[in-house]
Amino acid sequence: MKNEIDDYIKNIINSAPSEEMYLEAVRDVFKDLIKEYIRKRINEDDELKNQIAEVLEEFMEAKIKEYDSIAKMAKITAKIGILSAPKGIKEEAINDFMNTFKNEIDEIIKRTL
């Protein structure tokens, strides 16, 4: 009987949420409160809102330029690879390269729409 009670109590304790879970939940609540506070402050200040909009626009432009540069580097790398490839492989490599980037470009376009 004593073992049954001990097992029952252990099962209750083991099924209870851990201390870490409570701490994580409290952190999430604090994050939400901080976000709410920051949003309130931002909404009260039109100049700050405009500055944030400008910064976000600049950030997006920079990201687009970054992706453009990566695409240009890939193009140059592919060109170097094709120039250095044996003649018999060039046509196959070009077709594979075009198909690969066509699929990736299609995927990028689908994600942005």
Side-chain angles (χ1 to χ4, degrees):
M1 174 91 165
K2 183 180 179 199
N3 286 339
E4 290 176 9
I5 294 173
D6 287 343
D7 290 342
Y8 181 73
I9 291 173
K10 285 179 184 177
N11 286 336
I12 290 174
I13 292 172
N14 289 336
S15 65
S18 69
E19 202 177 306
E20 290 175 27
M21 188 183 298
Y22 284 113
L23 290 174
E24 187 176 325
V26 169
R27 278 190 216 111
D28 288 344
V29 169
F30 276 115
K31 284 181 190 178
D32 292 341
L33 290 171
I34 291 168
K35 288 178 191 177
E36 196 175 306
Y37 176 80
I38 290 171
R39 279 190 188 102
K40 181 181 175 191
R41 294 294 181 192
I42 290 170
N43 287 330
E44 291 173 353
D45 189 342
D46 287 335
E47 184 181 342
L48 184 58
K49 267 190 199 178
N50 292 335
Q51 289 174 348
I52 290 171
E54 288 174 20
V55 168
L56 286 174
E57 190 174 319
E58 289 174 13
F59 177 78
M60 294 302 293
E61 287 175 12
K63 279 297 183 184
I64 290 170
K65 287 179 181 179
E66 177 186 359
Y67 294 139
D68 184 45
S69 295
I70 290 170
K72 287 177 182 177
M73 285 190 297
K75 180 181 173 184
I76 291 169
T77 303
K79 189 173 185 177
I80 292 169
I82 290 170
L83 289 174
S84 62
K87 290 183 181 181
I89 299 176
K90 281 185 184 183
E91 190 172 317
E92 183 181 342
I94 290 170
N95 288 335
D96 288 345
F97 181 77
M98 294 301 284
N99 287 334
T100 299
F101 276 101
K102 180 186 177 297
N103 293 338
E104 288 186 20
I105 290 170
D106 287 344
E107 186 65 32
I108 290 169
I109 291 171
K110 287 177 186 175
R111 279 190 263 159
T112 57
L113 297 179

